[in-house]
Amino acid sequence: MLLTELKNFPEKHDSTFSDALQQFIEKHGVKKFEGGQAVVIDRGSYVWRAWFDDPGYERFLKYIETNHGNKFLPKILSKVREEPIQFKRMPKGKTIKYVKIEKLTQNIQSDLSAAVEYLYMNFLKPTDLPDSGKELANLATKLKIPRDVNPDDLKTAILKNQDFFTVVLDLIKHHDANDINSENVMFRGSTPVIIDPFRD
């Protein structure tokens, strides 16, 4: 188990969290992905997300709990666990936290991902965004897009994924989500899943 091994890492007070993770990865032959505030460890059929300071993600976990069963949100497979482990260059008083999550895939070439990216790049004010339904058809007309992008294709992608974009717009308008971009949308099969919409 990741945290058990890190807890017993022999030189933890003289080593960084990254040092310990690297040793774990080399020992078990797993993949590691690093984001701005967390590390994701691929365990094959699921992933562990580990962090010590990510209030935005912890807010997202509460949102997922409140909206349990929403297919556009990741499935959380364990409770958040934590250990009071102190590594070099780690803020004092912080704990390593980790949670088990379903494994998702990327599909950055999809029309949906492109629509999400254009929405993110435009930084529209929440008051400028529609709520749902027929108003979503007008979303594509509010976005500044490159000349080589057909706005009708964008509109089609938005309307084809109307339920997904309703969730996206609700997050932006009513929950101050500020980091919904194409990198923070992954897929469960063909279903888009929002993975980390809050940046603090």
Side-chain angles (χ1 to χ4, degrees):
M1 182 60 224
L2 170 63
L3 260 287
T4 303
E5 291 195 31
L6 293 181
K7 187 176 181 180
N8 298 318
F9 190 69
E11 301 173 5
K12 61 177 176 278
H13 297 294
D14 297 318
S15 304
T16 65
F17 183 46
S18 295
D19 293 335
L21 279 175
Q22 190 58 42
Q23 178 175 303
F24 178 86
I25 286 158
E26 290 171 2
K27 178 179 177 181
H28 296 283
V30 295
K31 294 180 181 176
K32 172 185 79 167
F33 305 94
E34 294 194 48
Q37 294 175 291
V39 174
V40 175
I41 298 166
D42 186 342
R43 295 296 285 168
S45 59
Y46 60 88
V47 299
W48 286 106
R49 188 184 194 280
W51 70 96
F52 62 81
D53 189 20
D54 194 349
Y57 192 74
E58 291 176 28
R59 185 156 65 99
F60 183 47
L61 288 174
K62 289 178 183 176
Y63 178 85
I64 294 171
E65 187 177 342
T66 302
N67 293 276
H68 180 72
N70 187 314
K71 68 179 181 178
F72 303 116
L73 302 175
K75 294 176 183 176
I76 305 301
L77 306 177
S78 75
K79 292 183 178 180
V80 174
R81 302 172 189 172
E82 57 185 299
E83 289 285 349
I85 307 171
Q86 192 68 47
F87 287 97
K88 189 177 180 180
R89 295 199 296 271
M90 184 174 156
K92 288 186 178 181
K94 294 291 183 181
T95 58
I96 299 292
K97 299 178 183 180
Y98 64 109
V99 67
K100 185 178 180 181
I101 311 170
E102 69 171 314
K103 185 175 179 178
L104 301 164
T105 59
Q106 289 185 311
N107 184 3
I108 58 174
Q109 301 301 321
S110 74
D111 289 340
L112 178 141
S113 294
V116 169
E117 192 64 20
Y118 292 130
L119 177 60
Y120 177 74
M121 290 179 354
N122 278 267
F123 295 110
L124 294 176
K125 294 177 184 176
T127 52
D128 293 337
L129 294 171
D131 281 313
S132 62
K134 294 179 181 178
E135 291 182 348
L136 277 173
N138 298 323
L139 180 57
T141 63
K142 294 177 180 285
L143 303 177
K144 295 177 183 176
I145 57 176
R147 291 184 180 182
D148 59 342
V149 174
N150 186 336
D152 289 335
D153 292 343
L154 204 57
K155 179 178 175 181
T156 299
I158 291 169
L159 292 178
K160 183 179 171 185
N161 298 282
Q162 182 171 319
D163 291 343
F164 168 76
F165 278 99
T166 298
V167 174
V168 168
L169 295 176
D170 176 65
L171 273 163
I172 295 171
K173 288 181 68 107
H174 305 296
H175 301 279
D176 299 318
N178 57 359
D179 202 21
I180 301 180
N181 58 57
S182 59
E183 291 183 358
N184 282 330
V185 175
M186 297 185 77
F187 288 79
R188 180 192 306 116
S190 60
T191 301
V193 179
I194 302 160
I195 61 167
D196 193 1
F198 301 118
R199 179 182 61 240
D200 284 316

